Amino acid sequence: MKNIATLFLSVVATASMMANVSFSEKDALLKLYNATKGSEWTNKWDLNAPVATWYGVKLQNEKVISLDLSNNNLAGELPLEISNLVFLQQLNLFKNKLSGNIPSAIGNLKQLRTLNLAFNKLSGKIPASIGDANSLQSVELFMNQLTGELPSEIGNLKQLQTLSLFNNELVGKIPSSVYGMKSLKVLLLNSNKLTGKLDKEVANLTSLENLSLFENNMEGQVPFDLEKLNKLKEMNISYNMFSGLVSRNLAQLDTLNLTMINDKGLAVMLPVKADKSSALAAED
């Protein structure tokens, strides 16, 4: 009986190893390998071996559902064919040497839940088509060289919980569509070149736990409505040009106690209301 069980497991394992993915999916993987100097990867693929054995590739029912090549010395540009991995749920290329633009065809990945292209050398705009990948729950593009405005289409990602875009060169205002993302728990936009005001509709982000707008060029009154975010645990909106009185609660919540840059380029502390902990209470 023991030998039969061992034989059965061996057959299952062999079948799994020999699983065949579709031509378009395998072609997409090969295009990625060639476009990012696969021969110089830290963990290389044996292209003569079954796809199921390739490092970082996870299959389910002979379909590629996960690709994790983080910290693996990928260098070059992402090929357009990456969008042919239509069953992909996770794409993790964190901490490599990827350059060029994020392919607009990324929006074709309708089952993608996690997108991590952080800590690379990607440039250009975040494609508006990212809003078509409506299963996304986490988007991490921080520590790149991305430019342009944050596309309003990103607000179409109603399941998104994490949006981490810090340390890029993004400009313009936060799109109003972002304030409708009620599943959002983490919003990290710090160390960019964002301008405009923080809209009072920020109060609609009822799931938000971490907000960072640190080191941008945003201005105007710090909205009292931030106090309505009952789940907010971490906040850093310092080193902008926000103005006005703030409550003690908000000042204590911010890591740097709401230190701002004034019109003379000097660091100043926003005045805190001395009589009330909550500005909302003062308004009532």
Side-chain angles (χ1 to χ4, degrees):
M1 182 66 74
K2 186 175 181 180
N3 289 336
I4 293 174
T6 302
L7 179 61
F8 174 76
L9 291 173
S10 177
V11 170
V12 170
T14 302
S16 174
M17 296 282 278
M18 296 303 292
N20 294 316
V21 301
S22 68
F23 172 81
S24 62
E25 288 182 275
K26 186 172 182 178
D27 180 64
L29 293 174
L30 290 173
K31 288 289 197 311
L32 176 67
Y33 186 83
N34 291 324
T36 59
K37 302 181 181 178
S39 61
E40 299 177 14
W41 288 3
T42 304
N43 296 287
K44 304 174 183 62
W45 290 344
D46 180 354
L47 302 183
N48 294 315
V51 173
T53 67
W54 292 2
Y55 175 81
V57 178
K58 182 178 179 181
L59 303 183
Q60 185 177 83
N61 299 325
E62 300 186 356
K63 296 175 175 62
V64 181
I65 63 166
S66 178
L67 184 57
D68 186 349
L69 297 172
S70 55
N71 200 19
N72 199 42
N73 201 39
L74 277 69
E77 299 188 11
L78 291 174
L80 296 177
E81 290 83 0
I82 197 140
S83 64
N84 292 335
L85 298 172
V86 293
F87 301 102
L88 206 60
Q89 298 174 19
Q90 178 193 31
L91 178 57
N92 186 354
L93 304 178
F94 171 77
K95 202 173 184 182
N96 282 290
K97 301 173 184 177
L98 296 171
S99 57
N101 297 342
I102 300 172
S104 60
I106 200 82
N108 294 341
L109 302 178
K110 305 296 185 183
Q111 298 189 35
L112 194 63
R113 298 176 187 172
T114 301
L115 175 63
N116 191 341
L117 303 178
F119 223 118
N120 280 284
K121 300 177 181 179
L122 296 169
S123 57
K125 297 181 178 181
I126 298 172
S129 59
I130 197 171
D132 296 330
N134 49 26
S135 294
L136 277 169
Q137 297 176 8
S138 176
V139 173
E140 296 182 274
L141 305 176
F142 60 86
M143 298 292 289
N144 277 291
Q145 299 164 16
L146 298 171
T147 57
E149 297 185 2
L150 187 60
S152 61
E153 290 82 357
I154 209 160
N156 296 337
L157 304 177
K158 300 304 181 185
Q159 300 183 54
L160 199 67
Q161 297 180 19
T162 298
L163 181 58
S164 185
L165 307 177
F166 62 87
N167 280 88
N168 279 289
E169 298 176 25
L170 300 174
V171 299
K173 300 177 181 179
I174 296 175
S176 59
S177 60
V178 169
Y179 298 118
M181 303 173 73
K182 295 190 176 181
S183 295
L184 207 57
K185 294 182 178 180
V186 177
L187 179 59
L188 307 180
L189 302 177
N190 51 286
S191 301
N192 279 287
K193 299 177 181 178
L194 298 175
T195 55
K197 298 180 179 180
L198 180 60
D199 198 286
K200 65 180 182 180
E201 290 187 4
V202 69
N204 293 333
L205 300 177
T206 51
S207 299
L208 203 61
E209 298 175 3
N210 189 347
L211 172 65
S212 184
L213 304 175
F214 170 79
E215 200 177 37
N216 278 289
N217 298 314
M218 299 184 71
E219 60 186 4
Q221 170 72 48
V222 176
F224 298 147
D225 302 78
L226 279 170
E227 293 185 33
K228 296 177 181 177
L229 300 178
N230 297 325
K231 296 183 180 180
L232 196 61
K233 300 173 184 176
E234 297 180 54
M235 181 184 80
N236 191 346
I237 63 174
S238 289
Y239 284 86
N240 280 281
M241 293 182 285
F242 289 125
S243 59
L245 286 172
V246 294
S247 70
R248 190 179 301 115
N249 287 346
L250 284 182
Q252 291 174 345
L253 188 61
D254 188 278
T255 308
L256 296 173
N257 299 119
L258 296 171
T259 301
M260 298 297 155
I261 302 297
N262 66 13
D263 56 0
K264 297 179 181 179
L266 301 175
V268 296
M269 302 280 285
L270 285 188
V272 178
K273 291 182 69 67
D275 53 336
K276 299 280 186 179
S277 293
S278 170
L280 286 174
E283 285 189 311
D284 295 339

